[in-house]
Amino acid sequence: MRLDHVPASQAVSGLRRLHQHLKDKGWEITSYREGAKGKGKDWDLFGKRDDGDRT
């Protein structure tokens, strides 16, 4: 999923909440990266579950 045209202040806090939510629900976070300030395109969150689902 991509979030275009979302202010960085909202995107970062949302990504952090999603990261924690997925961990709480049993997802294995395979990659999590927050971009440097001023680089609005550099946030990534990838995870997988034991049943093979991936996002």
Side-chain angles (χ1 to χ4, degrees):
M1 174 185 347
R2 293 183 53 97
L3 298 175
D4 294 330
H5 309 294
V6 176
S9 60
Q10 292 178 7
V12 170
S13 62
L15 185 63
R16 288 177 181 157
R17 286 192 309 272
L18 178 59
H19 176 242
Q20 188 59 52
H21 176 76
L22 291 174
K23 285 175 57 176
D24 292 345
K25 294 295 182 180
W27 284 74
E28 176 189 346
I29 304 303
T30 58
S31 176
Y32 177 67
R33 181 174 55 119
E34 291 185 19
K37 288 184 178 182
K39 293 185 176 184
K41 302 177 201 173
D42 292 331
W43 300 306
D44 295 317
L45 173 60
F46 295 92
K48 65 179 181 177
R49 289 177 45 151
D50 289 337
D51 61 8
D53 285 347
R54 186 177 179 97
T55 187

